[in-house]
Amino acid sequence: MEQSSLLMSAQIHFVDAQLSLIHIPLGQYQHYLPSILKLLFPPAENEDDDDSGTRESWANQHAFLNVSVTPIECSVVCAKNLADALFAPEIARVKQESSSSANYASISTENFVVISVEGAGMEAGQRVLELTSPLALAGISLFFITTYFSDYILVPAKAKGQVVRALEDRGFAFEKTSETYVNPTAHHHRNVSSTSSFGSSSPSTPPPTTVTELQARTFALLNWRSIIPRVDKDIRLVQCAGRKDNPSSFFADELVLQHGLTKCLIHQPKFLSLTMTEDESASLLLEKRLMSEFGAPEFGNVLLGSKEDFLIPITLNLEPLPFEATGIVCGVADRLVDGPGVLQAIEMSYLSTAKAGTVMVDEKDLEHAMEALRVGENGAIQP
C-alpha cells in the first residue's frame, strides 16, 4: 500500500495510561450513573489554595477518558485504577443482589493503551481508513474514537510491540525518548472524525493481505452473525467541544458545561459521547435536542463547533462477535469510502464503544451509506 498524504502529515504517540473498557447494558444504566458522575466530577482538592486563576481545568484531569451512551449500550474508557475503584464494586453488588441471569455490566480483562493522532488532514472517512488499515492488516484489534480535535485508537496493551512494527512498516520513525511516531517529512496540520471491534487477542486465521480482502472478510463475518445496521432518524448529532478561548469566563464556562453534562446524563440521553484528555478541551458528540442544556443566554455560548451540521448515526451491534474479531473499523470504512458501487467517497466518522460501532454520516448521505452497506430485503448486510 503506497504511503498517503495523511501518513506524511500525521504525528502519532502513545498516551501514558493503562485503560480499562467498561460495558454497561442500558437497562442497568441508572445503577451505574453515580459511578459515572463520580468519574467525571471527582471532589475538588485544595480549591481554597488557588486564587490565581491557574487551577487545572476540570476537563484535563484524565490522560484519556471516554463516556458514551448509544442506542446499544453505555460504554466507558478510563484508567484501570478508576475502573477498579468506581465500577468493580458496583458490578459485584448488582450481581449479588440480582436473582436473574441478566446481562451484567463488565470490565475488560485486557488492559488497553491509546494512540493519539495529530496533524491528520484529508476527509474524515478516508482518514479513518488510512489510520486503521496498517493495524488491521497486521491483525491488531482496535477501537477508534474521533473527537473534535484529534483521533484516538485504542489497542490491547500487549499488542503495543505489534503496533510499533506496523507503524514503522508504513514509514514512521519511532522516537524512543518521546514514544512518538512521526514521518520524517511530516508537516503538522489537523481536521476532524470515529469505530469498534472488541478484540483482545490475535486472530486464529492469518490476517488479510489487502484492504479489499479485509473488507470482504468483514462483511462476510457481519452477514454470518446477522449483524444489521440500525438507523434512528430522530437522532441528529452535533460534534462540538468546550470553549477555552476566553480566560475571563473560563471557569464559569466550565461550570455551565459540567451542569449541562450532568443534566444530560441524569436523564439518560439516547446518544452522547464525551472525551476528555489532559491537553484538550472536553469534546462532545451529542443530540441536537440537548444543545439547549448548554445554552443559558447569560453565560454565552460555551461550545465550539457548528450547531447546524447534523450527523445521523448508523449503529452496528457487535456483541455477537468474538473478542478476537479484527478489521471491523477498517472494513466498514473501506466499504463507505471505496466499496462496490460507491462513485464518490461517503463522508463518515465512527465511534467505537465496548460492544458496538456507530457510523455517522451527513443526513444527505444516509441513503447512499445504507446502500453501500448492502442492506438486503431481510435487513442483513450482504457481502
Side-chain angles (χ1 to χ4, degrees):
M1 186 183 296
E2 83 181 37
Q3 195 175 60
S4 71
S5 60
L6 168 64
L7 295 179
M8 295 185 68
S9 64
Q11 182 175 3
I12 301 177
H13 70 273
F14 283 103
V15 175
D16 185 16
Q18 290 284 315
L19 304 170
S20 290
L21 184 55
I22 304 166
H23 161 70
I24 300 173
L26 291 179
Q28 298 178 20
Y29 175 83
Q30 293 299 328
H31 285 295
Y32 297 96
L33 180 58
S35 298
I36 293 172
L37 293 177
K38 289 178 184 176
L39 176 67
L40 295 179
F41 311 114
E45 297 180 2
N46 300 324
E47 277 194 344
D48 294 338
D49 295 341
D50 191 344
D51 57 2
S52 63
T54 60
R55 190 171 70 242
E56 179 185 26
S57 168
W58 153 79
N60 301 139
Q61 298 182 66
H62 300 272
F64 184 85
L65 177 130
N66 176 268
V67 175
S68 294
V69 183
T70 75
I72 302 293
E73 64 177 337
C74 174
S75 176
V76 178
V77 181
C78 67
K80 182 181 185 303
N81 65 306
L82 294 176
D84 292 342
L86 295 176
F87 292 91
E90 185 64 15
I91 292 173
R93 185 188 69 79
V94 171
K95 287 183 177 180
Q96 186 176 21
E97 294 179 357
S98 176
S99 58
S100 67
S101 57
N103 180 22
Y104 297 113
S106 59
I107 301 176
S108 61
T109 55
E110 287 278 355
N111 291 339
F112 290 84
V113 292
V114 64
I115 306 166
S116 172
V117 183
E118 303 172 1
M122 73 169 48
E123 296 299 321
Q126 186 67 33
R127 198 168 66 247
V128 174
L129 176 61
E130 293 289 347
L131 289 170
T132 59
S133 58
L135 304 182
L137 292 174
I140 300 168
S141 60
L142 60 90
F143 297 79
F144 194 95
I145 298 174
T146 293
T147 73
Y148 186 84
F149 301 102
S150 303
D151 296 313
Y152 294 92
I153 305 173
L154 275 73
V155 296
K158 69 181 183 183
K160 189 173 180 180
Q162 289 179 273
V163 172
V164 171
R165 290 190 292 274
L167 291 172
E168 290 179 339
D169 287 346
R170 286 300 304 275
F172 288 92
F174 179 44
E175 297 179 0
K176 293 184 179 180
T177 55
S178 62
E179 283 204 329
T180 298
Y181 299 86
V182 294
N183 188 286
T185 60
H187 297 282
H188 212 81
H189 60 84
R190 160 90 201 140
N191 211 314
V192 274
S193 173
S194 139
T195 158
S196 166
S197 62
F198 194 9
S200 59
S201 60
S202 299
S204 56
T205 57
T209 57
T210 67
V211 173
T212 300
E213 181 186 354
L214 185 145
Q215 180 196 136
R217 287 197 195 183
T218 296
F219 280 84
L221 176 62
L222 295 177
N223 187 42
W224 177 49
R225 293 288 188 170
S226 299
I227 296 173
I228 61 177
R230 305 286 187 186
V231 178
D232 184 344
K233 294 183 180 179
D234 292 332
I235 300 179
R236 294 184 171 193
L237 303 178
V238 176
Q239 183 103 50
C240 51
R243 185 178 292 277
K244 291 178 70 174
D245 56 356
N246 188 349
S248 64
S249 64
F250 174 68
F251 290 112
D253 289 347
E254 283 211 331
L255 287 175
V256 176
L257 182 60
Q258 292 176 45
H259 185 58
L261 280 170
T262 302
K263 289 191 292 183
C264 292
L265 291 168
I266 286 176
H267 293 99
Q268 189 169 345
K270 288 184 178 180
F271 204 112
L272 184 149
S273 183
L274 166 70
T275 301
M276 298 198 298
T277 67
E278 59 189 1
D279 55 7
E280 293 176 345
S281 300
S283 180
L284 283 163
L285 181 66
L286 75 162
E287 299 169 67
K288 167 66 175 177
R289 68 179 182 87
L290 298 177
M291 296 294 291
S292 60
E293 304 291 2
F294 305 88
E298 63 269 26
F299 293 107
N301 186 357
V302 301
L303 294 176
L304 295 170
S306 172
K307 315 303 187 299
E308 304 303 325
D309 294 333
F310 305 129
L311 298 172
I312 306 297
I314 304 172
T315 57
L316 296 168
N317 186 348
L318 303 177
E319 187 170 4
L321 296 185
F323 284 175
E324 65 270 18
T326 62
I328 305 301
V329 181
C330 182
V332 170
D334 187 53
R335 177 61 66 97
L336 293 175
V337 170
D338 193 30
V342 176
L343 301 179
Q344 183 175 359
I346 297 171
E347 181 69 3
M348 54 83 69
S349 57
Y350 202 116
L351 171 69
S352 290
T353 53
K355 296 188 177 183
T358 302
V359 182
M360 289 158 290
V361 299
D362 190 283
E363 190 171 23
K364 65 179 174 55
D365 294 326
L366 179 60
E367 183 178 347
H368 294 304
M370 294 299 284
E371 290 175 357
L373 293 175
R374 297 289 182 114
V375 182
E377 291 183 0
N378 63 351
I381 299 178
Q382 303 298 319

